[in-house]
Amino acid sequence: MEKPSRRDLLLASGALGAVGALGAGAPAQALWTWSPQGSVVGAGAGADPRTVWDDEADPLVASLIDRGAVPQVNKLLREWTKNGQALPAGLPADLRVFIEKARALPSWADQAKLATAFKFNEKRGLYLGVLYGFASGMISTVIPKEARAVYYSQGGADMKDRISKTAKLGYDIGTRNAFAPDGEMIVTCVKTRLVHAAVRHLLPKSPHWDKVADEPVPISQLDMMVTWHSLPTTVMRQLKSWRVPIPAAEADAFLHSWQLTAYMLGIKEEYIPNSWTAAESQAKQSLDTVLAPTPEGIKLADILLDLGAQLDGTVLSRSVLTAFTRFLLGDEIAGWLKLPRTPVFTGILETAWMPFIAVREGLLPFPLAPAAYWTLDEFIRKFVLLYVSEAKEISIEIPLTNNPN
Ligand code: HEM
């Protein structure tokens, strides 16, 4: 008889809730007490989201993989790029039915808020690009479940490609027509939902992942909300700490665009927070309590810093990227990621960043601008340009394998 894997044992013992029991060094996640009353629909069964995955996409994609349909599906779906575009002929009928349902916006989608969200994205595009890329990207390396899933899945073997694909989502959400028929965000989300379903089917077969995972199937609803908080919640926290003035309507609209993103990614409405207050209360319980180093996260952070340096050997040198990461995430996380100290760049950021933001925001007269103003401005412009240019022509495809390493 085949030896049962750790995952089988976890499943058999019903130890799903005992998160942290096997994740070496990872903090245990507290019981789920967040109320669905704080969600976009104000109600729900309140099931622990660690025990919920995607009951529509998962069996479908598992079946597509098992019946050998994925290469043809990927080829056909390359043609599907616009939200309102008819699906390509020749897709399997069950997939077509799924996508037609999954691409529909929920009743609570608010076009006026989406228009304001675009205004906000346009005004704050540079900060958002830097924060998605740096704060969110680097935090993902200290979210143990995400780090392990990313490292041991197919994308872990080619991080440059993976980052471009993820950057596409960050790019699409900021466009004027993101969720409109001629936009691309719905397509990106629905394809990502299919990719996540594939990962749930494939990753449990990885002996590397199986050895370290503390859940039977990756990317639960809770995992998705944790990662979600690493994006808009982290960005909003950071903008506030930089004292960037944000009118309430814009903050609300930015949240709305991310609520819709969560929905289109297959996150159940009862877990999607209905306000920033609700989001903060959920993030405190879900994101803030799980951050921890893992060997996989440390390797991913190292790869990410190298990739930045490869993109541009000058302004985006590894030392600058390292200093910026430490500056954004703090000494504790930088220590977890074994980032060396870079006193010169850290010193520049510590003294010049806040005045730099104040000048950009018109809160400090230009003559008082720090000498480092243009260097910092060039840095963020260059970073965002590279990040976005990588993202534009990307096609997100259903994987068929894990990372062999
Ligand atoms: C793939 C975004 C949550 C693990 C992707 C892709 C995007 C994305 C855009 C497609 C890129 C690609 O194919 O490489 C998001 C967003 C999330 C989220 C916006 C939450 C709001 C998660 C979570 C995990 C995860 C919670 C794991 C715990 C993965 C993996 C892949 C993937 C392993 C596939 C990599 C591959 O093998 O190619 N995600 N994701 N994601 N995501 Fe997520």
Side-chain angles (χ1 to χ4, degrees):
M1 203 180 95
E2 233 180 283
K3 199 168 145 258
S5 67
R6 280 162 46 91
R7 198 171 46 82
D8 294 334
L9 292 174
L10 270 174
L11 266 178
S13 69
L16 258 182
V19 181
L22 290 170
Q29 221 161 356
L31 275 181
W32 178 253
T33 54
W34 193 80
S35 164
Q37 280 174 357
S39 73
V40 285
V41 285
D48 187 327
R50 274 171 286 206
T51 62
V52 187
W53 287 267
D54 186 336
D55 50 11
E56 288 176 83
D58 295 351
L60 167 69
V61 177
S63 154
L64 292 174
I65 293 174
D66 292 344
R67 64 191 206 240
V70 168
Q72 177 66 1
V73 162
N74 276 337
K75 191 165 159 237
L76 291 169
L77 284 183
R78 260 172 240 155
E79 307 299 313
W80 182 46
T81 57
K82 301 287 177 200
N83 301 335
Q85 188 185 338
L87 291 177
L91 282 181
D94 49 358
L95 177 62
R96 175 177 295 273
V97 169
F98 169 82
I99 295 181
E100 290 302 0
K101 184 171 172 212
R103 80 201 297 197
L105 286 172
S107 58
W108 43 268
D110 182 330
Q111 294 305 325
K113 280 190 184 172
L114 289 178
T116 309
F118 172 66
K119 237 172 56 190
F120 175 72
N121 273 288
E122 212 178 20
K123 243 170 46 185
R124 305 297 180 203
L126 281 182
Y127 298 152
L128 293 175
V130 168
L131 288 171
Y132 287 149
F134 259 106
S136 310
M138 281 310 220
I139 280 188
S140 72
T141 68
V142 288
I143 299 174
K145 288 182 189 178
E146 188 174 350
R148 292 185 195 117
V150 168
Y151 193 81
Y152 294 118
S153 64
Q154 181 181 307
D158 184 352
M159 282 305 288
K160 186 162 189 283
D161 180 64
R162 201 196 123 79
I163 291 169
S164 322
K165 288 175 175 165
T166 310
K168 174 159 175 58
L169 189 141
Y171 172 76
D172 287 348
I173 195 174
T175 52
R176 179 188 298 278
N177 48 4
F179 293 93
D182 58 337
E184 300 195 359
M185 184 61 179
I186 294 177
V187 176
T188 295
C189 288
V190 173
K191 286 185 179 175
T192 300
R193 188 171 170 190
L194 296 173
V195 171
H196 286 157
V199 171
R200 292 189 192 102
H201 185 62
L202 295 169
L203 206 50
K205 301 184 197 336
S206 157
H208 306 294
W209 183 81
D210 190 57
K211 227 185 284 165
V212 293
D214 53 7
E215 54 190 348
V217 176
I219 323 186
S220 67
Q221 292 276 319
L222 179 59
D223 295 342
M224 284 198 285
M225 277 318 297
V226 169
T227 298
W228 187 91
H229 286 298
S230 76
L231 288 148
T233 312
T234 300
V235 165
M236 192 47 82
R237 285 176 173 179
Q238 213 47 262
L239 289 175
K240 275 192 182 161
S241 82
W242 292 350
R243 295 191 214 110
V244 174
I246 304 170
E250 289 183 17
D252 191 41
F254 176 62
L255 174 66
H256 188 66
S257 67
W258 275 100
Q259 288 165 328
L260 281 182
T261 300
Y263 178 87
M264 304 312 293
L265 284 170
I267 297 179
K268 298 204 179 296
E269 288 165 308
E270 69 169 281
Y271 302 124
I272 305 174
N274 66 2
S275 66
W276 278 116
T277 312
E280 261 303 327
S281 83
Q282 199 188 69
K284 280 201 181 76
Q285 183 178 130
S286 56
L287 174 70
D288 299 352
T289 54
V290 298
L291 302 183
T294 55
E296 294 80 8
I298 293 168
K299 283 183 256 183
L300 285 175
D302 187 54
I303 296 171
L304 290 178
L305 289 171
D306 256 354
L307 279 177
Q310 270 170 35
L311 286 173
D312 180 311
T314 56
V315 178
L316 298 185
S317 74
R318 192 174 160 115
S319 313
V320 179
L321 295 173
T322 304
F324 205 67
T325 307
R326 180 178 288 277
F327 178 66
L328 285 183
L329 303 188
D331 281 336
E332 186 182 29
I333 293 182
W336 289 349
L337 294 174
K338 302 193 190 306
L339 302 185
R341 289 188 178 274
T342 46
V344 175
F345 293 116
T346 301
I348 293 176
L349 286 168
E350 276 168 4
T351 51
W353 187 260
M354 290 304 283
F356 162 68
I357 297 284
V359 170
R360 292 197 96 248
E361 295 304 316
L363 302 174
L364 189 73
F366 189 72
L368 298 181
Y373 182 96
W374 294 113
T375 315
L376 292 176
D377 207 60
E378 194 191 343
F379 166 70
I380 65 170
R381 276 176 200 285
K382 207 154 187 176
F383 179 81
V384 172
L385 196 75
L386 286 168
Y387 174 75
V388 165
S389 67
E390 287 287 313
K392 276 193 177 151
E393 301 301 325
I394 286 291
S395 162
I396 292 177
E397 309 211 336
I398 302 171
L400 273 173
T401 58
N402 293 311
N403 185 347
N405 303 309

